Amino acid sequence: MKPLQGKIALVAGATRGAGRGIAIELGAAGATVYVTGRTTRAARSEYNRPETIEETAELVTQAGGQGIAVQVDHLVPEQVEALVKRIEQEQGRLDILVNDIWGAEYLAEWNVPIWEHSLEKGLRMLRLAIDTHIITSHYALPLLIKNKNGLIIEMTDGTAEYNQTHYRISVFYDQAKTSIARLAWALAQEVQPHGCTAVALTPGWMRSEIMLEHFKVTEATWRDATADEPHFVISETPRFVGRAVAALAGDPEVGRWNGQSLSSGGLAQVYGFTDVDGSRPDCMRYLVEVVEADKPADVRGYK
């Protein structure tokens, strides 16, 4: 029996990137996974990218779970409310909520001070990064807390420890990503009396579809990118953080992590999972112990 057989998960923001990787790995562990996003085969979001929620749902099913695609704009409360009502009607429960809604890669202006950064884009980024998570939790948590051992995972970029001392090269991006760790901590206080757990989780340098395009490589040829960016050697697939989520969801003692800020690489050391190629990158350590120490790019440099 697969460890998450019979579990119901909602991966909010699963069209591509980490959300897709998480959904697939939850499916591989046997879960029924509702995958949401704005882009379908019939309509694209403002991203105007080709990945769709239907593709993600099919990948979940192929992995061994049941994928269910639902088009949702998580900034529209009525759509989120309808989604949760549907899950309750169809499944009667919700065991895992992954808030991975983002959708703002193309809004960030890097190394641009706040007085020069587009205010419209910056405020839109905050809405996409924070409001969506709060709206989704507002509607989904009453269903999740009906049963003990429910798990909420707030996806972000960087651990709270790392972000506390590192400026994330844009005021808006910095606020977006640091706020989510605090949101996870706050949710942890509210769900703990119900026997549930909330954590923040970050991947490392992730080889998302957009990142691979940025370096003009594919997943099969990603190492070619290290010629221009040697530290890309520490990168990981979206499935790696997906395996971190599956490990947390399958841990009967997951409450030990309540309120904490976690990373894919850190959890791999605890649970023993690897990336799809058998590697076990720990990007958060690497950034400090190799990049900031001005050492040559080497995945063995922090071990």
Side-chain angles (χ1 to χ4, degrees):
M1 193 176 196
K2 296 184 177 181
L4 299 182
Q5 194 79 39
K7 297 293 186 181
I8 310 301
L10 165 58
V11 181
T15 315
R16 61 186 66 82
R20 176 172 283 191
I22 291 166
I24 292 170
E25 290 299 331
L26 287 173
T32 294
V33 188
Y34 285 79
V35 299
T36 67
R38 295 171 296 172
T39 296
T40 69
R41 287 180 174 138
R44 290 190 180 188
S45 73
E46 63 199 63
Y47 261 98
N48 194 30
R49 290 192 56 84
E51 303 88 12
T52 70
I53 55 173
E54 292 95 340
E55 290 172 352
T56 301
E58 290 165 1
L59 290 169
V60 170
T61 301
Q62 290 170 15
Q66 181 184 4
I68 302 171
V70 186
Q71 185 181 34
V72 176
D73 184 336
H74 286 264
L75 278 176
V76 181
E78 295 79 9
Q79 292 186 23
V80 180
E81 183 179 25
L83 164 69
V84 175
K85 285 182 178 178
R86 173 177 171 178
I87 295 172
E88 184 170 24
Q89 290 169 357
E90 294 179 353
Q91 310 295 340
R93 63 185 297 129
L94 178 62
D95 302 289
I96 304 155
L97 168 63
V98 181
N99 269 329
D100 185 53
I101 314 109
W102 169 230
E105 278 95 341
Y106 300 145
L107 298 176
E109 298 176 8
W110 305 116
N111 295 304
V112 174
I114 189 171
W115 56 89
E116 294 179 5
H117 194 293
S118 165
L119 185 60
E120 179 183 4
K121 289 182 179 179
L123 294 178
R124 174 72 173 169
M125 187 191 306
L126 295 180
R127 288 217 69 207
L128 288 166
I130 301 172
D131 291 13
T132 54
H133 289 225
I134 292 173
I135 290 168
T136 305
S137 293
H138 173 81
Y139 287 108
L141 293 190
L143 179 58
L144 185 140
I145 64 172
K146 285 185 177 181
N147 299 290
K148 288 186 177 181
N149 301 318
L151 175 63
I152 305 102
I153 296 180
E154 289 289 334
M155 296 298 299
T156 187
D157 178 11
T159 61
E161 179 183 17
Y162 181 84
N163 288 342
Q164 185 176 15
T165 57
H166 292 79
Y167 168 59
R168 301 312 305 272
I169 57 179
S170 159
V171 164
F172 294 105
Y173 189 84
D174 190 278
Q175 290 299 304
K177 296 307 181 179
T178 59
S179 295
I180 294 302
R182 181 66 184 189
L183 174 60
W185 183 87
L187 290 174
Q189 314 313 307
E190 298 190 352
V191 302
Q192 188 172 29
H194 301 275
C196 298
T197 301
V199 301
L201 177 62
T202 180
W205 194 344
M206 192 176 62
R207 298 196 296 274
S208 65
E209 298 88 348
I210 292 174
M211 186 61 66
L212 291 172
E213 284 187 10
H214 171 74
F215 283 115
K216 297 180 174 59
V217 293
T218 66
E219 180 55 35
T221 64
W222 71 267
R223 290 184 180 278
D224 293 348
T226 61
D228 294 322
E229 177 44 79
H231 290 301
F232 196 54
V233 70
I234 198 62
S235 64
E236 63 195 55
T237 74
R239 300 278 292 276
F240 191 53
V241 75
R243 291 177 177 182
V245 171
L248 289 169
D251 183 356
E253 304 298 327
V254 70
R256 61 183 160 149
W257 302 111
N258 195 43
Q260 294 189 42
S261 174
L262 309 170
S263 70
S264 54
L267 289 177
Q269 304 303 317
V270 176
Y271 290 108
F273 61 85
T274 65
D275 206 342
V276 294
D277 63 357
S279 65
R280 193 173 286 151
D282 192 343
C283 184
M284 301 312 300
R285 280 187 59 199
Y286 184 91
L287 289 174
V288 174
E289 298 178 24
V290 178
V291 178
E292 293 183 14
D294 201 26
K295 294 181 180 179
D298 184 352
V299 293
R300 298 165 298 176
Y302 62 98
K303 293 182 180 179

